[in-house]
Amino acid sequence: MNATQQHMLDVYRAAQLGSPAPPAPGLNDWQVVREVRDHQRVRAVVEDRPARSRRLRTALANLFASSTRSSSACG
């Protein structure tokens, strides 16, 4: 059974029970991704870790360090 078929079954059951229909599959995916990201950032702050990834900062530091090394070697 795929997600669409499961959703159709859930909508039918909800209609039979008089409860509200569930949201369509994939409707709130980006909202969930944002909430997970925000939750991870909050946990990082609570655990006294940097809230953002260090990959970008490290890459930029390496880039600038290599450019200053190459410019100082030339002159």
Side-chain angles (χ1 to χ4, degrees), residues 47-68:
E47 294 171 0
D48 200 26
R49 293 183 288 119
R52 295 189 180 253
S53 173
R54 296 183 194 176
R55 288 185 288 175
L56 177 62
R57 187 179 303 146
T58 304
L60 289 173
N62 291 338
L63 177 68
F64 289 127
S66 66
S67 67
T68 56

Side-chain angles (χ1 to χ4, degrees), residues 7-22:
H7 176 68
M8 290 171 54
L9 182 62
D10 291 341
V11 168
Y12 174 77
R13 287 181 184 158
Q16 294 297 315
L17 297 174
S19 59

Side-chain angles (χ1 to χ4, degrees), residues 16-60:
Q16 294 297 315
L17 297 174
S19 59
L27 186 64
N28 299 319
D29 288 352
W30 286 113
Q31 180 181 357
V32 171
V33 169
R34 285 186 207 101
E35 288 176 5
V36 167
R37 182 193 60 205
D38 292 344
H39 179 72
Q40 289 172 342
R41 287 181 178 171
V42 168
R43 285 190 52 119
V45 170
V46 169
E47 294 171 0
D48 200 26
R49 293 183 288 119
R52 295 189 180 253
S53 173
R54 296 183 194 176
R55 288 185 288 175
L56 177 62
R57 187 179 303 146
T58 304
L60 289 173

